[in-house]
Amino acid sequence: MLTLLDSAHPTALSPVCLYALHLKPLAGRAATLLSPYTRHRTPFDASAASDTDHIFNAFLQAEQLYTGCSILPYVCISPYASMHEDICSLALDKKVFLIIVPFHKHLAIDGSVSAPIPAIQAVNSAVLRFTPCSVAVLVNHGLATESSAFRAGGIPHAAVYFFGGPDDREALALGLRMAEDSSVGLTVVRFRLPNATMEGTEERLDERMMEDVRIRKSDGSRVVYREEVVKDGEGTVAVIREISVRFSLLLVGRGDGKETELTSGLSIWSEFAELGTIGDLLASTDFGGRVSTLVVQQQRRVAGNGQPESVRMGKAVKNEVDEEDD
């Protein structure tokens, strides 16, 4: 989480405000709690510090290192069944643009995969369903190989797999934000069918955003745009399998769950619906990838100042598309 925070490139001109929420399941008959974190002052007895103290100490130390970053810690103690309500209410109250939640399974140092925790999976699914803003699920595969190792304090090279649609545009917007840091490389990989055409507004929005990346952002070295023409899901898997190990972080949109020609045949193998077809593929250890993945879902129900990043970035583009339709 701290690596992602650093890679969001907080600066004085483009600051980041992070609400760090430590979630704890409610034990016994204790009362539900959602409140700002208050540190217990135990300077002479480190053993008396709680897990929450250790977690927020790391975040608050990071706040001192990053210019343009403010971190506000909160604690939530509630039953799993209603935990998503606390997350969403805090996000709504604070006008949050993006919620990041950890995947309910993780890769251990020895390469083994932890047992899934159904309660946490249910919380994540509920957040994705009821969130007032965009959501990203972090599948943390750690530091598996040297080629995908995180540098101290950030991400050396990220990749966005772009298939089209609002979720993919949101993932791309997040990737472009990371690429504002001159030490972060970004590769945008667009998957296309042979002789693909722009049939509707969504496709034209995708094309305009890709045009912006090609013309204004891509420099051929640190920010790279590439197209992969594939015929079906099998071709998509072949490309992803070949290039994923080159990156330290993969960003992909969750998608609407509908199978397309680019993902044909892949949905029957999907295990976790909350990750979408491609996200589930990247998270699978059977696939052979050990690269951390961020699966992004754009919240389309929000309007006004709460619009997702890619909606704000593409507002002028959509107006142009609407004028063309007229």
Side-chain angles (χ1 to χ4, degrees), residues 137-201:
V137 180
L138 174 61
V139 183
N140 183 11
H141 278 175
L143 314 179
T145 65
E146 184 178 355
S147 62
S148 64
F150 284 65
R151 67 175 171 85
I155 296 170
H157 208 131
V160 177
Y161 290 157
F162 192 92
F163 295 85
D167 290 353
D168 283 32
R169 293 196 295 270
E170 190 80 351
L172 177 57
L174 184 58
L176 292 174
R177 164 92 192 203
M178 293 180 179
E180 292 177 6
D181 186 343
S182 60
S183 63
V184 175
L186 177 70
T187 296
V188 179
V189 184
R190 186 182 190 184
F191 290 83
R192 302 190 68 169
L193 292 168
N195 303 318
T197 59
M198 296 183 296
E199 298 179 352
T201 301

Side-chain angles (χ1 to χ4, degrees), residues 26 29-35 75-79 82-83 86:
L26 184 65
R29 297 184 178 180
T32 300
L33 172 69
L34 174 62
S35 67
V75 176
C76 172
I77 304 175
S78 66
S82 61
M83 197 172 281
D86 296 306

Side-chain angles (χ1 to χ4, degrees), residues 16 26 48 57 59 65 75 109 125 132 135 184 199 238 279:
V16 171
L26 184 65
N57 281 344
F59 277 102
L65 297 176
V75 176
I109 296 177
S125 297
V135 179
V184 175
E199 298 179 352

Side-chain angles (χ1 to χ4, degrees), residues 14 180 207 217:
S14 183
E180 292 177 6
E207 186 61 31
K217 304 294 194 306

Side-chain angles (χ1 to χ4, degrees), residues 286-310:
D286 295 334
F287 177 69
R290 293 285 180 89
V291 183
S292 293
T293 302
L294 202 61
V295 181
V296 183
Q297 172 188 277
Q298 182 192 91
Q299 179 49 265
R300 311 180 216 8
R301 290 179 296 175
V302 177
N305 293 332
Q307 290 177 328
E309 183 71 13
S310 62

